Amino acid sequence: MTGPGKQEPRLGGHILADALVAQGVTHAFCVPGESYLDLLDGLYAQRNRIQLVTCRFEAGAVHMAEAYGKLTGKPGVALVTRGPGACHAAIGVHVAFQDSTPLVLLVGQIPFEETDRESFQEVDYRKMFAPLAKWVTQIDDAARIPELMAHAFDVATSGRPGPVVVAISEEMQKELAVVPDLPPAPVFPAHPAPQALPRMMEMLRAAQRPLVVLGGGAGWSAQGRADIRDFLLANDLPVAVSFRRMGLFDGASPNYVGDLGVGADPALVKAAKASDLFIAIGTRIGETVSQGYTLMDMAGSKPVIHVYPDQAEIGRVYRPALGITADLNAFAAAAKALPPVARPAWSGWRAELRAAREAQAKAPSYEGPLNLAVALQALEKVLPPDTIFTTDAGNFATWPQRFMQVGAAQDFLGPTNGAMGYSVPAAIGAKVVYPERTVVSFVGDGGMLMTGQEIATAFHHKVNPIILVFNNGMYGTIRMHQEKTYPGRVSATQLTNPDFARFIESFGGHGEIVEATDQLVPAFQRAVASGRPAVIEVRTNPEQVTNRATIAQLREQAAKA
């Protein structure tokens, strides 16, 4: 790195590595490529400051970086090569975009004098990533590296956080330049307007059936989560969380009433429609939270208070009665300082919603030797209070979502864009960041064979997540929709799988197979005791395609319809 004194010429690749250090980067996740050898050499020089995690697939590398961003609030950094590498990485960029996670993706690029010749692996990344990222740029002049990299990190973290893609041309990395490094700019967060909070409390005091929905991921600090919790509890408000944001509020709290996302409790959806004040804090009120845009009309007949760090998102779909543009943590601190509502009229309403949440979390009787609901609730009791959960997309994910509670000190990471293949690399990334914490991955048999090879990365970097593979031999979510729409006409949704326990054992890890309710906890405890990366294959009943319906029941419903 260079300071304000005399500066020496540096290669562009080394200036890039130094720029990452200057922005406070401690981890980077990569699949190496010849298009950024000079950056790799620069990272070799910075190996005592940045841990470079070598991955096996570009999508896996970006998922790991995205998990880093969710957990730390700082931009996750991924490095991939040009052409196919960038295309593989695109799904992780889309996850970061829809999840509002700060991310900086560096993509190797062809020599710029070859542009528009369809050179080997040439792609115009400004066009390719334009709908997937907050900003896309290309660095062709080594002297501009500190400027553009500093701006990339600023964009990734400002307003609504999200991904930035930076293409780095090959010969630029070989250029010599004399240029100082740029540190992050000290920027104070946006606070609520002075008149906003009194107006919010006035609307709250007039309500009879308010409902708060907490959303946002990387935008929340630990202090911010504590402050918003104190505000919500002081006012005895019922609190739901948005899709895959269970880590934002203590699931054991009497004020927690469930999650509004895919597979939401029908009783909670009904209550959300019946509420007379909808307070959305940190969520965009997107398609999943709004249950397909059905919770309220877009004209604003139900009062909505929308708190979000990016004004462009407030009123984008639903016209709020009050929009508050503010940093989420700044809003939480200001809200906590407000005098609470005296004798709130909604305490009975809150108790009703909590009772409904507790009722739907009771494990029903399921046919067969494995009652997954009972097994997961038993597992919950033996998990450390600071466990990190990662989840994939699929029907299996609704089981822990419905039957487990995420504690106040636990984290829950999942892709709100429904990307399969997220959970395993995210768990590895989480374990790299927090090696001392227990990390549990929930993944289906479909998602496991999309990025499960990243298990090799766990061994390579000596981290040991525990992966629960829910195996029902099918793409369960698609089969569910297939049976609802074309009952009995099974097409393309059945799967042939390996023995997942032997799969992890082939790497030298710990494998278990669970087929009965009382087998899960002992299998998990043995996995922990092994000290190695572990896979627990949970063989579920394929007939029980959701936690609320069997295939036979779906066919019967379709026939009646």
Side-chain angles (χ1 to χ4, degrees):
M1 296 181 68
T2 63
K6 183 179 179 181
Q7 298 170 14
E8 299 294 333
R10 291 176 291 164
L11 288 171
H14 285 239
I15 299 173
L16 276 166
D18 294 348
L20 294 175
V21 172
Q23 293 300 314
V25 174
T26 57
H27 296 76
F29 303 86
C30 79
V31 175
E34 71 273 22
S35 62
Y36 67 97
L37 288 176
D38 304 280
L39 172 55
L40 289 173
D41 189 68
L43 289 168
Y44 177 83
Q46 295 288 4
R47 62 191 180 279
N48 294 327
R49 289 175 167 160
I50 296 179
Q51 181 182 355
L52 188 60
V53 179
T54 304
C55 306
R56 306 304 291 266
F57 184 51
E58 288 85 1
V62 184
H63 289 326
M64 291 185 203
E66 197 274 348
Y68 174 98
K70 274 194 174 90
L71 285 170
T72 66
K74 299 187 297 183
V77 174
L79 320 172
V80 302
T81 196
R82 62 199 179 203
C87 293
H88 290 159
I91 186 167
V93 176
H94 189 243
V95 170
F97 189 78
Q98 292 222 321
D99 282 47
S100 303
T101 304
L103 179 83
V104 174
L105 173 65
L106 295 173
V107 182
Q109 178 58 299
I110 63 167
F112 61 74
E113 70 267 13
E114 298 178 10
T115 299
D116 292 332
R117 292 177 176 172
E118 198 181 341
S119 184
F120 178 60
Q121 298 182 332
E122 179 180 1
V123 174
D124 183 337
Y125 297 113
R126 286 188 173 92
K127 291 181 180 178
M128 173 182 169
F129 285 107
L132 302 180
K134 287 186 71 176
W135 184 49
V136 186
T137 190
Q138 179 162 320
I139 307 178
D140 293 324
D141 179 358
R144 295 194 65 193
I145 290 172
E147 168 206 344
L148 292 172
M149 289 298 293
H151 186 56
F153 278 78
D154 290 344
V155 172
T157 54
S158 63
R160 175 188 172 188
V164 170
V165 178
V166 181
I168 50 174
S169 60
E170 189 173 330
E171 78 277 39
M172 176 277 297
Q173 299 171 58
K174 304 179 188 300
E175 290 179 359
L176 287 171
V178 177
V179 62
D181 297 307
L182 297 178
V187 177
F188 289 97
H191 283 64
Q195 63 271 36
L197 295 186
R199 174 61 181 148
M200 177 183 75
M201 297 307 291
E202 179 184 337
M203 294 174 66
L204 188 56
R205 282 189 291 269
Q208 299 289 316
R209 299 180 306 280
L211 178 64
V212 174
V213 181
L214 283 182
W220 289 101
S221 67
Q223 185 61 55
R225 283 162 56 173
D227 287 344
I228 200 65
R229 174 203 64 207
D230 291 349
F231 165 73
L232 297 170
L233 294 180
N235 288 280
D236 199 23
L237 286 161
V239 182
V241 295
S242 62
F243 186 40
R244 293 189 170 140
R245 298 296 194 230
M246 278 77 82
L248 291 179
F249 198 80
D250 184 2
S253 168
N255 292 71
Y256 179 72
V257 299
D259 66 287
L260 277 173
V262 175
D265 176 21
L268 177 59
V269 174
K270 183 179 179 181
K273 291 179 178 179
S275 65
D276 62 0
L277 179 61
F278 194 88
I279 307 174
I281 305 174
T283 173
R284 295 187 300 113
I285 325 179
E287 187 269 340
T288 50
V289 173
S290 66
Q291 303 298 297
Y293 305 107
T294 63
L295 289 189
M296 48 200 147
D297 63 64
M298 296 178 187
S301 59
K302 183 201 296 288
V304 174
I305 298 174
H306 195 182
V307 182
Y308 203 76
D310 186 348
Q311 186 171 342
E313 292 294 331
I314 297 177
R316 182 175 181 179
V317 177
Y318 292 105
R319 308 307 298 175
L322 175 63
I324 302 175
T325 304
D327 172 83
L328 296 178
N329 303 301
F331 169 82
K336 178 184 176 180
L338 296 170
V341 174
R343 296 182 299 278
W346 53 80
S347 290
W349 158 261
R350 189 272 308 154
E352 288 177 20
L353 269 58
R354 176 61 187 179
R357 159 63 191 166
E358 292 175 347
Q360 71 101 34
K362 290 180 180 177
S365 296
Y366 291 108
E367 186 176 339
L370 174 65
N371 186 317
L372 186 56
V374 173
L376 289 172
Q377 289 177 344
L379 177 64
E380 177 188 305
K381 292 180 172 64
V382 302
L383 292 172
D386 65 345
T387 298
I388 300 172
F389 300 99
T390 67
T391 189
D392 221 72
N395 271 4
F396 76 89
T398 64
W399 292 76
Q401 173 183 307
R402 176 181 175 184
F403 296 111
M404 297 181 74
Q405 297 180 146
V406 178
Q410 294 176 332
D411 287 289
F412 190 96
L413 314 182
T416 65
N417 75 334
M420 294 179 69
Y422 174 85
S423 184
V424 173
I428 296 166
K431 194 68 178 175
V432 167
V433 179
Y434 292 114
E436 73 285 357
R437 295 173 66 179
T438 297
V439 178
V440 179
S441 164
F442 299 126
V443 64
D445 48 333
M448 179 64 178
L449 285 192
M450 290 187 177
T451 54
Q453 77 280 2
E454 290 297 348
I455 284 290
T457 303
F459 284 93
H460 188 66
H461 290 279
K462 298 178 173 58
V463 295
N464 56 338
I466 298 174
I467 299 163
L468 273 61
V469 181
F470 299 91
N471 181 4
N472 64 357
M474 67 178 78
Y475 287 123
T477 302
I478 313 308
R479 177 69 178 276
M480 173 190 70
H481 291 297
Q482 195 170 61
E483 294 290 357
K484 287 180 176 180
T485 309
Y486 300 104
R489 298 173 65 84
V490 181
S491 176
T493 51
Q494 294 175 300
L495 298 174
T496 299
N497 290 317
D499 182 324
F500 290 107
R502 292 178 64 186
F503 175 76
I504 188 73
E505 288 169 355
S506 72
F507 289 92
H510 182 88
E512 295 267 359
I513 294 174
V514 168
E515 297 180 293
T517 304
D518 60 359
Q519 294 175 351
L520 180 58
V521 169
F524 184 85
Q525 291 171 327
R526 288 189 294 268
V528 172
S530 76
R532 293 174 286 164
V535 165
I536 301 172
E537 179 184 342
V538 183
R539 293 180 177 173
T540 62
N541 179 4
E543 174 65 17
Q544 191 68 55
V545 71
T546 82
N547 61 55
R548 301 183 191 277
T550 63
I551 289 175
Q553 289 169 335
L554 293 178
R555 290 178 177 177
E556 183 180 350
Q557 292 166 10
K560 290 179 179 178

